[in-house]
Amino acid sequence: MSPLDGTSIRSRRSGGIRLDLKLIADMVDPSSRVLDIGCGDGALLDYLVHEKNVDGRGIELSMDGVHTCVSHGLSVIQGDAETDLKDYPSGAFDYVILSQTLQAMRAPRTVLNELVRIGRRAIVSFPNFGYWRIRMALLWMGRMPVTERLGYEWFETPNIHFCTIKDFTSLCDTLDISIDRSVILGRDNRPTRLASADGVANFFGEQGVFMLRRNGMGD
Amino acid sequence: MTASIPLNQPPATAEVEGFVSGRSNQRVTLGVDQPMRLDCGVELSGFTVAYGTYGTLNADKSNAVMVCHALTGDHFVSDYHPVSGKPGWWSMLVGPGRPIDTDRYFVICSNVIGGCMGSIGPAESNPATGRPYGLDFPVITIADMVRAQKLLIDHLGIEKLFCVVGGSMGGMQVLQWAVSYPESVFAALPIATAARHSAQNIAFHEVGRQAIMADPDWCNGDYLNQEKRPHRGLAVARMAAHITYLSEAALHRKFGRNLQNRQTVTYGFDADFQVESYLRHQGITFVDRFDANSYLYITRAMDYFDLAAEHGGVLANAFRHEGGPTPVRFCLTSFSSDWLFPTTESRAVVHALNAVAANVSFVEVATDKGHDAFLLEEPHFHQVVRGFMDGCAEHRGLTNRRAALV
């Protein structure tokens, strides 16, 4: 289950996956090796396996999610990314995907390092806490924001490490991780032309999708 | 148990829909041209293996599924058992339209060597003496069981199994298959199992063996020649083992502290409690279908099982193949209340497979039924098996005969 919503995002084999997942899928080369961390019910993985012919694997924490994935023939293990990633050899995958899960990690910094170790590339997407609606909710209502995409009250949210786009790019700098590509999504998951380094992106972007690699790990 | 097994015949009264029969009790003599060398150094030649097949082998022989049975199982996977008259031990999972679909796959299951349902074992006749082997039978290992199965598929002309599947000791064989013959296995489904037998499990087995050996009718293993049977010892071994197959929650749900056909305790040592009566029944019915020496040999084979030990103590090394990960696709399943082969054991295998970036799925099924869950109606577990098999069939290019017919 995605930490962002409680509903199923499945629409198998129709090609009709959520727009932000499609955007990630478009970044993945066909026939590559992919690890999807926090793969939920497998919507993205299923799309990648069947539409892009990737050798796809997944890790998912919830029993229901894993059960759904494996019952649909996907290679998914029940596990916790924060304890299990260390098992994988370096460079085992072409892409390691962490979609909308970074903010639910106990140690996002460690996880980021593991992503760029295991994968030649990492694709990370997360909700931007600097998004103007969130800022407004805090500024005017004085309450932790509960939006359509972040539908949890503060006391029950699995999202324990929110960050802004600016926070994220700054951490990547610190960890010597370079950003090969980025796409800033505005309202309704619509891609914008904003650059991630742009302060405007940090204000108008509802989420960001980043393709990362360890510095000095070029092709 | 003697060498003669009645030919398999369904009870005349009950014709259960969907059962396949006819080829579930076959015999083959293996190791004729070349003897099979066991781990203990002994060579077996011209030995019998009993096996059953279900479904049809396709033209390119790519749809064969090897089912590996557990400690007290046999090759009657999906057919009436000739001794008990009950449906096969995995008829819920194996059969037409079932998760291991015999309309689609050619299912093979053989009685393990050391067993007592027709394959060579301590109850069979020793050609050197013309009398049952007893303790002269060599100690066998899980790898030896798998060697014999490999000879069987060679005999059947099958180069590569589509899938090897089994639970408990069957799961150990599945792991051994993938490690010994990675080129001959496309997919592996080890269920409720471990890459090594734990100290606790060895301890339980030792209790069972001691119960058998403490029975005077065991006669130092020579009971078949002395017209005796160590039924009491074997029954106690079964009773103790049976507890480990269940869970506290399942026992409580089934029996609680309920009394057996009485209103109050009797202040004696009859089976006052239902759970006692149940265990006694388990013990008594078991001795009718199982050989005590076989029980010693097979439990020993499980005790010796340790995949990592053969690979420098590093389990991941067992799954390396030609400088890369094993080509076998894995799906491991464990059951949340199984304390005999707990989830941690399956997870250790998953971690080792991850360490070589092998293709692996892993599901822990939530249930209170304990280790036995792999033999019982567990819809989630069955869905996982079906999903994994279907997914692998797609990758293997196996057409869905059922879909093709529609």
Side-chain angles (χ1 to χ4, degrees), chain A residues 64-123:
Chain A
D64 283 347
V66 177
H67 175 247
T68 305
C69 290
V70 179
S71 297
H72 282 88
L74 298 172
S75 297
V76 172
I77 64 164
Q78 195 167 2
D80 183 345
E82 306 210 53
T83 54
D84 293 352
L85 291 185
K86 63 172 169 22
D87 294 332
Y88 292 92
S90 300
F93 295 94
D94 297 313
Y95 302 94
V96 177
I97 297 171
L98 188 70
S99 161
Q100 306 290 350
T101 309
L102 186 67
Q103 75 283 353
M105 296 286 173
R106 289 186 300 276
R109 182 186 163 115
T110 314
V111 169
L112 267 183
N113 267 329
E114 286 290 56
L115 298 185
V116 290
R117 179 184 69 80
I118 299 169
R120 291 196 309 112
R121 296 282 188 283
I123 302 174

Side-chain angles (χ1 to χ4, degrees), chain B residues 28-31 36-38 44 47-53 64-71 73-75 77 89 106-115 119-120 140-161 163-181 184-185 187-188 298 301 305:
Chain B
V28 62
T29 307
L30 301 171
M36 186 179 87
R37 193 177 167 82
L38 301 171
L44 284 184
F47 61 94
T48 304
V49 164
Y51 69 102
T53 64
V65 174
M66 173 69 78
V67 172
C68 303
H69 71 71
L71 168 55
D74 48 46
H75 52 293
V77 184
W89 56 273
F106 178 64
V107 174
I108 310 159
C109 182
S110 66
N111 186 212
V112 295
I113 59 167
S119 290
I120 189 170
I140 40 115
T141 64
I142 299 291
D144 292 331
M145 295 174 181
V146 170
R147 276 185 193 107
Q149 290 163 1
K150 176 69 165 65
L151 290 179
L152 173 61
I153 69 157
D154 290 346
H155 163 79
L156 296 172
I158 296 162
E159 271 180 33
K160 187 168 193 155
L161 291 165
C163 185
V164 187
V165 52
S168 195
M169 185 184 85
M172 290 177 168
Q173 293 164 66
V174 174
L175 292 172
Q176 186 71 56
W177 257 104
V179 170
S180 296
Y181 309 106
S184 302
V185 179
I298 299 176
F305 187 63

